[in-house]
Amino acid sequence: MSGAADREAVFPTRQSLGLMKAKLKGAETGHSLLKRKSEALTKRFREITRRIDEAKRKMGRVMQIASLSLAEVTYAVGGNIGFQIQESARSARFRIRAKQENVSGVLLPTFESYLTEGNNDFAMTGLGKGGQQVQRCRETYARAVEALVELASLQTAFVILDEVIKVVNRRVNAIEHVIIPRTENTIKYINSELDELDREEFYRLKKVANKKQQDVAAQDAEIKRLKLEQEARGKKQAVADEPETSAGPAELLEAEGDEDVIF
Amino acid sequence: MSSHADNKDRQFLAVIGDEDSVTGLLLAGIGHVTPPPDSQKNFLVVDSKTDTATIEEAFQRFTTERKDIGIVLINQHIADRIRHRVDTYTAAFPALLEIPSKDHPYDPEKDSVLRRVRRLFGE
């Protein structure tokens, strides 16, 4: 049997049987727990993928609006402001912060955007003309970046969950298809070996009992024989003794008889 | 875990994009230049003259070398130029996000993450 080969190398003793049974129980508990975890994660995962799909589409729209407002700025300022802006960028006003969320033991990071107070690299941008458009464009882009940050956190969660789900599923399968069958096989093996030992022991005891019975029988026979012998001897002796003990009368009788015979 | 401690420091966004995208995002205030000794920008402007090696180098710097970047934004048409790098990038931090640009409308079929989504759902 191929299954018989697939078992753990243990000695078939009652102690290891107990250990194996505990192991099987642990494996089954672990299996059901992991299965539930995997299901919870998968549910979350599906939700996230759906939201990513939505967010990506939304991002397309938002970025389009933002580009349009940038075009407005270019038009209003009457020239390309790109160079000026790239050169005046110093310190980020728009920053992100990573927070963590716990989904059945998995830490999922979520990004949260915030604005730092009091630094404005572009105070001079659009000072000549188009200041209003620049301001509006900044707001539009800030909203766009917020959407992007949200999408980024979804995506990060997606990547991490993907990984974790793979690992959990691998574990579930390993327990289901390798560890549990192997432990069951080991338990079967130990049980069969123990039964075999039991049978051997029983047979041995039976043999011993048989031998004892025989011995007892032989002894009884001997005792009987001895008793009989003794009895027989005792009778003989009694027979031999009796004439001696009642010798008087017997002899007297005999004597009389003898006399009778003589007469 | 040490990786989680690192993630607290990731507070900037980085951009690799064409001039308009970068300008807009800088206007939103994501631009950051580190203090003088080794002054590093967190954005790269790519035009038709920029060669692929420069983009790859910037991508490498934003994704692996710098530890203060949480999200890398890259224009989709630029991501196409270094597609092999983008597709093989699977780390969670920093998050890599393909964004549409003005001249190139967004195509969900090319997005590395959306393709993974589609593959998982067997579409």
Side-chain angles (χ1 to χ4, degrees):
Chain A
M1 204 170 92
S2 62
D6 184 34
R7 59 173 166 76
E8 282 167 51
V10 288
F11 288 111
T13 57
R14 295 209 179 272
Q15 191 190 8
S16 52
L17 179 68
L19 280 179
M20 280 300 133
K21 277 189 175 161
K23 192 175 171 181
L24 183 65
K25 202 159 185 212
E28 273 164 2
T29 317
H31 177 255
S32 84
L33 280 177
L34 276 177
K35 191 120 197 164
R36 260 183 278 164
K37 177 176 175 176
S38 157
E39 273 158 17
L41 289 178
T42 311
K43 182 169 168 278
R44 187 59 183 252
F45 187 67
R46 284 183 181 272
E47 188 193 316
I48 283 179
T49 43
R50 191 175 47 74
R51 273 168 62 192
I52 282 187
D53 215 30
E54 271 170 30
K56 284 256 175 189
R57 285 172 214 291
K58 183 181 155 203
M59 172 189 81
R61 287 197 305 276
V62 169
M63 290 304 284
Q64 207 173 3
I65 296 168
S67 314
L68 196 68
S69 84
L70 185 69
E72 261 174 44
V73 168
T74 318
Y75 178 73
V77 174
N80 210 331
I81 60 165
F83 185 73
Q84 185 195 350
I85 285 170
Q86 282 161 36
E87 285 309 305
S88 55
R90 281 287 161 268
S91 168
R93 189 170 69 99
F94 196 102
R95 298 187 185 197
I96 49 173
R97 194 187 285 138
K99 285 207 312 188
Q100 274 158 5
E101 200 187 342
N102 196 337
V103 179
S104 27
V106 184
L107 292 176
L108 292 180
T110 48
F111 294 113
E112 196 185 45
S113 52
Y114 67 101
L115 292 171
T116 50
E117 295 298 320
N119 64 344
N120 191 350
D121 292 337
F122 310 114
M124 298 299 174
T125 308
L127 193 62
K129 41 182 177 170
Q132 212 173 10
Q133 275 83 357
V134 169
Q135 203 57 40
R136 203 183 304 141
C137 180
R138 288 180 60 174
E139 278 160 19
T140 322
Y141 263 100
R143 272 204 300 280
V145 174
E146 263 165 36
L148 290 180
V149 167
E150 194 194 322
L151 182 53
S153 26
L154 283 178
Q155 200 177 296
T156 315
F158 170 81
V159 172
I160 290 177
L161 268 184
D162 189 23
E163 196 109 331
V164 171
I165 286 175
K166 265 186 213 155
V167 170
V168 170
N169 281 344
R170 214 174 293 146
R171 274 191 206 147
V172 169
N173 287 340
I175 289 180
E176 192 176 336
H177 297 295
V178 179
I179 293 176
I180 288 181
R182 184 190 287 173
T183 316
E184 277 172 350
N185 270 340
T186 315
I187 289 176
K188 235 181 262 167
Y189 161 74
I190 293 175
N191 271 335
S192 73
E193 288 291 301
L194 283 179
D195 282 355
E196 184 64 33
L197 280 180
D198 272 354
R199 274 196 292 279
E200 247 169 51
E201 183 72 15
F202 184 65
Y203 185 69
R204 199 174 65 78
L205 283 178
K206 224 167 143 183
K207 273 282 194 199
V208 169
N210 260 349
K211 185 83 175 87
K212 265 189 185 159
Q213 228 166 16
Q214 273 175 16
D215 282 359
V216 168
Q219 231 167 5
D220 277 358
E222 183 77 2
I223 289 169
K224 221 177 203 173
R225 200 176 57 79
L226 280 178
K227 229 182 224 169
L228 277 177
E229 236 169 61
Q230 215 165 23
E231 247 166 56
R233 208 185 299 144
K235 242 180 210 168
K236 234 188 229 167
Q237 221 162 34
V239 171
D241 273 359
E242 228 170 339
E244 247 182 296
T245 47
S246 56
E251 259 179 53
L252 281 178
L253 283 174
E254 239 174 293
E256 273 178 53
D258 270 342
E259 277 174 72
D260 270 335
V261 170
I262 291 166
F263 270 100
Chain B
M1 274 199 279
S2 63
S3 62
H4 286 126
D6 298 345
N7 296 340
K8 295 274 182 226
D9 305 330
R10 298 185 182 273
Q11 51 173 340
F12 300 120
L13 294 101
V15 204
I16 302 175
D18 60 12
E19 192 172 358
D20 284 335
S21 307
V22 172
T23 306
L25 291 168
L26 289 188
L27 267 179
I30 67 163
H32 192 83
V33 181
T34 50
D38 53 337
S39 197
Q40 277 189 333
K41 292 173 179 172
N42 66 344
F43 51 90
L44 174 76
V45 179
V46 177
D47 53 27
S48 53
K49 291 192 286 294
T50 314
D51 55 352
T52 314
T54 317
I55 304 172
E56 273 192 43
E57 195 254 329
F59 183 77
Q60 177 75 16
R61 193 171 66 238
F62 292 154
T63 52
T64 49
E65 281 162 31
R66 288 188 62 166
K67 299 293 175 208
D68 55 348
I69 290 174
I71 303 174
V72 177
L73 304 171
I74 183 165
N75 271 146
Q76 197 173 34
H77 70 280
I78 294 164
D80 280 341
R81 284 173 65 179
I82 53 165
R83 182 51 69 189
H84 60 288
R85 295 290 301 270
V86 174
D87 280 352
T88 49
Y89 178 80
T90 48
F93 283 102
L96 180 68
L97 209 55
E98 291 179 30
I99 56 171
S101 63
K102 199 174 70 177
D103 308 323
H104 301 79
Y106 186 69
D107 181 6
E109 294 306 313
K110 283 183 186 163
D111 193 299
S112 57
V113 172
L114 274 190
R115 269 201 301 205
R116 267 168 86 181
V117 171
R118 268 171 227 290
R119 205 181 57 226
L120 283 167
F121 285 94
E123 285 168 27

